[in-house]
């Protein structure tokens, strides 16, 4: 049973990695290249290197640059993030490089703004697809996830700021109009990631139940977050009930509710946003 679950997890990750690489290459060829803008992260750096070296008669391809830039960071993160995560992320990089080199996609729009909007969204979805499949597009994703694992906070906005600095170099050398377009593109892709990937966002669960022992037992059996129990009674019914309080990652909520309803079909769960949290918090490893 356990081996079947592991195989299923590997199959999901493999599918996510292939889809992510395909979407990334599709977004670059269909939306980015026609309007001469840079993608984010190490891929954008690889494109920038190719364009700078071309000025001096040297061709250092984007696909080769993607691999060369990502390998050193992957070796560093191999011990600090997760072995399987890094391996699958590097597979994504190799596949994206392969699709960029051998697949050919036809541009859909002539309008620059349409390319920026659709390209930013599709590129962001490509990154989210890899992340949700327990992999990444490597590069700055590795850096963002390494810092997030240490701090428990998402830093995609800081990644955007770093990308904007890179684009200042691009704008100085190749024109500020294209740099401005690239910043718009990266802002859209960063917002897409932040909207759809919630691993490091936390929420508070207020759980009302008539059977606290069963609910707590089911909860602590499946999760390592602390939970507080306060006993009281219903203001309308006068019946005894308990209020449970816990803070969890937002991506865990649906599974937690499923387990709680298994223990008490009449359980009431109120999900509240948690802006700031101080204290110990168990963050499940990426692997």
């Amino acid at each position: 049973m356990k081996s079947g679950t592991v195989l299923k997890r590997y199959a999901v990750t493999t599918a996510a990695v292939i889809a992510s690489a395909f979407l990334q290459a599709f977004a670059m060829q269909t939306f980015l290249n026609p309007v001469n803008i840079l993608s984010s992260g190490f891929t954008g750096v690889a494109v920038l290197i190719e364009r700078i070296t071309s000025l001096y008669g040297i061709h250092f391809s984007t696909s080769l640059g993607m691999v060369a830039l990502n390998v050193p960071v992957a070796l560093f993160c191999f011990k600090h993030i997760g072995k399987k995560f890094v391996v699958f992320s590097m597979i994504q990089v190799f596949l994206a490089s392969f699709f960029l080199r051998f697949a050919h996609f036809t541009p859909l729009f002539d309008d620059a703004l349409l390319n920026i909007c659709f390209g930013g969204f599709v590129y962001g979805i490509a990154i989210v697809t890899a992340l949700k499949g327990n992999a990444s597009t490597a590069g700055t994703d590795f850096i963002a996830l390494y810092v997030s694992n240490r701090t428990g906070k998402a830093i995609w906005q800081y990644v955007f700021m770093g990308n904007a600095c890179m684009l200042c170099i691009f704008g100085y050398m190749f024109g500020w109009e294209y740099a401005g377009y690239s910043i718009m593109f990266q802002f859209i892709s960063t917002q897409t990631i932040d909207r759809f990937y919630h691993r490091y966002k936390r929420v508070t669960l207020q759980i009302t139940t008539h059977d606290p022992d069963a609910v707590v037992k089911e909860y602590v059996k499946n999760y390592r977050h602390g939970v507080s129990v306060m006993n009281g009674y219903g203001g309308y019914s006068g019946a005894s009930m308990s209020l449970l309080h816990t803070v969890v990652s937002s991506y865990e909520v649906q599974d937690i509710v499923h387990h709680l309803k298994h223990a008490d079909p009449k359980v009431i769960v109120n999900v509240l946003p948690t802006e700031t949290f101080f204290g110990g918090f168990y963050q499940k490893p990426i692997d």
Side-chain angles (χ1 to χ4, degrees):
M1 181 71 177
K2 186 177 180 180
S3 60
T5 302
V6 172
L7 288 175
K8 182 179 178 181
R9 189 178 302 166
Y10 272 92
V12 170
T13 303
T14 301
V17 162
I18 295 172
S20 172
F22 181 84
L23 284 173
Q24 187 178 9
F26 173 77
M28 291 181 67
Q29 289 194 10
T30 304
F31 303 112
L32 277 69
N33 294 344
V35 289
N36 197 32
I37 60 177
L38 286 186
S39 58
S40 59
F42 280 13
T43 304
V45 175
V47 174
L48 183 59
I49 291 173
E50 179 182 15
R51 295 187 182 183
I52 292 175
T53 55
S54 297
L55 296 176
Y56 300 96
I58 304 171
H59 181 68
F60 194 85
S61 68
T62 299
S63 56
L64 178 61
M66 288 171 62
V67 175
L69 289 168
N70 279 291
V71 168
V73 181
L75 292 175
F76 171 77
C77 292
F78 194 73
K79 294 181 179 180
H80 296 90
I81 295 182
K83 296 179 176 63
K84 292 193 292 291
F85 180 84
V86 171
V87 169
F88 274 110
S89 298
M90 288 307 298
I91 291 174
Q92 196 279 348
V93 172
F94 283 107
L95 285 175
S97 300
F98 174 82
F99 287 136
L100 277 174
R101 190 172 184 85
F102 297 106
H104 299 284
F105 303 102
T106 304
L108 298 179
F109 307 113
D110 294 325
D111 183 77
L113 289 178
L114 285 175
N115 279 302
I116 291 167
C117 293
F118 279 91
F121 178 75
V122 173
Y123 199 91
I125 290 297
I127 296 175
V128 170
T129 300
L131 292 171
K132 284 185 173 290
N134 209 28
S136 75
T137 56
T140 51
D141 290 357
F142 280 160
I143 298 171
L145 292 167
Y146 173 77
V147 175
S148 295
N149 276 345
R150 292 299 181 93
T151 63
K153 297 179 180 179
I155 63 165
W156 299 111
Q157 303 303 325
Y158 296 100
V159 172
F160 168 72
M161 292 171 62
N163 288 326
C165 293
M166 173 189 67
L167 290 171
C168 289
I169 301 174
F170 176 66
Y172 177 78
M173 298 190 67
F174 298 98
W176 292 108
E177 179 182 359
Y178 297 114
Y181 282 150
S182 297
I183 291 175
M184 290 175 60
F185 160 82
Q186 293 189 19
F187 178 78
I188 294 172
S189 64
T190 302
Q191 290 301 310
T192 302
I193 298 168
D194 195 54
R195 175 64 180 84
F196 290 101
Y197 187 64
H198 299 148
R199 181 179 180 85
Y200 298 101
K201 292 184 178 179
R202 297 167 184 173
V203 296
T204 298
L205 300 185
Q206 288 185 343
I207 306 162
T208 304
T209 177
H210 292 283
D211 192 358
D213 293 337
V215 170
V216 170
K217 182 179 179 180
E218 180 72 15
Y219 181 74
V220 300
K221 182 175 70 174
N222 294 282
Y223 300 93
R224 293 177 59 179
H225 304 300
V227 57
S228 302
V229 182
M230 293 172 284
N231 296 318
Y233 61 92
Y236 179 79
S237 65
S240 297
M241 60 178 57
S242 297
L243 180 66
L244 282 59
H245 180 277
T246 185
V247 178
V248 303
S249 296
S250 62
Y251 75 96
E252 297 176 305
V253 171
Q254 294 300 322
D255 287 338
I256 291 175
V257 172
H258 172 76
H259 284 291
L260 297 183
K261 285 186 174 293
H262 175 74
D264 179 8
K266 295 183 179 180
V267 69
I268 299 172
V269 182
N270 185 23
V271 182
L272 304 172
T274 301
E275 295 296 331
T276 306
F277 179 84
F278 299 99
F281 183 84
Y282 174 74
Q283 182 69 59
K284 185 179 178 181
I286 294 177
D287 277 352

